[in-house]
């Protein structure tokens, strides 16, 4: 697979996102459904704590990627849906840290929505990964 990052945008010393990612000759694609901050028992964890939900959501996303033989660095697109965009932007460093730690440079979307599938969820993240 050949990957070309187009129009990277920086936030401080961390890469925030790319305007586009060109992927040529991929061998495998993984389309990842929305992930949320679920505890091991399946219940939504960290009700009311957006930062903790962001971190656990990325942990769950990485677990799913690993099961399919991918890593977070293979992700070329993320979509972040939230009930409170101000809270997410206040804690956006938790997102950029997770991405920077994995050397993940995706295109991304951050959007506020009216509801998620569980009233205790503050954030949901879906992804596309390629190899």
């Amino acid at each position: 697979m050949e990957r070309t990052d187009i129009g990277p945008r920086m936030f401080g010393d961390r890469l925030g996102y790319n305007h586009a990612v060109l992927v040529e000759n991929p061998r495998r694609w993984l389309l990842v459904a929305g992930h949320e901050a679920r505890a091991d028992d399946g219940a939504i964890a960290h009700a009311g704590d957006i930062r903790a939900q962001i971190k656990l959501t990325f942990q769950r996303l990485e677990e799913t990627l690993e099961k399919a033989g991918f890593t977070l660095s293979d992700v070329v697109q993320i979509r972040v849906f939230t009930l409170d965009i101000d809270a997410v932007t206040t804690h956006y460093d938790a997102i950029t840290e997770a991405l920077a730690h994995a050397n993940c440079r995706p295109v991304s979307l951050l959007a506020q929505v009216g509801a998620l599938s569980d009233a205790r969820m503050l954030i949901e993240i879906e992804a596309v990964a390629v190899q």
Side-chain angles (χ1 to χ4, degrees):
M1 176 195 75
E2 299 170 39
R3 174 191 170 128
T4 305
D5 295 336
I6 300 170
R9 302 291 296 203
M10 300 295 287
F11 299 124
D13 63 344
R14 292 192 177 95
L15 182 68
Y17 64 95
N18 287 303
H19 279 139
V21 175
L22 175 63
V23 178
E24 297 182 272
N25 303 313
R27 291 176 310 147
R28 300 173 57 204
W29 289 80
L30 182 66
L31 306 175
V32 184
H35 278 57
E36 59 279 324
R38 291 207 180 264
D40 290 338
D41 66 1
I44 297 299
H46 310 298
D49 185 343
I50 188 70
R51 186 173 195 82
Q53 284 200 4
I54 290 169
K55 288 182 175 189
L56 182 54
T57 299
F58 269 99
Q59 178 185 330
R60 297 303 186 218
L61 179 61
E62 288 183 279
E63 290 167 357
T64 298
L65 290 163
E66 185 178 319
K67 286 180 184 176
F70 287 77
T71 68
L72 191 55
S73 65
D74 296 318
V75 170
V76 295
Q77 181 179 51
I78 62 169
R79 292 184 190 98
V80 180
F81 301 97
T82 182
L83 298 178
D84 187 347
I85 203 162
D86 291 331
V88 171
T89 55
T90 297
H91 297 282
Y92 203 77
D93 64 304
I95 293 173
T96 58
E97 286 172 9
L99 296 175
H101 183 261
N103 195 29
C104 179
R105 300 178 311 273
V107 298
S108 65
L109 167 79
L110 172 59
Q112 182 168 312
V113 296
L116 294 168
S117 63
D118 185 303
R120 295 164 294 176
M121 290 169 52
L122 301 174
I123 192 165
E124 185 169 357
I125 301 173
E126 67 179 29
V128 175
V130 296
Q131 292 179 334

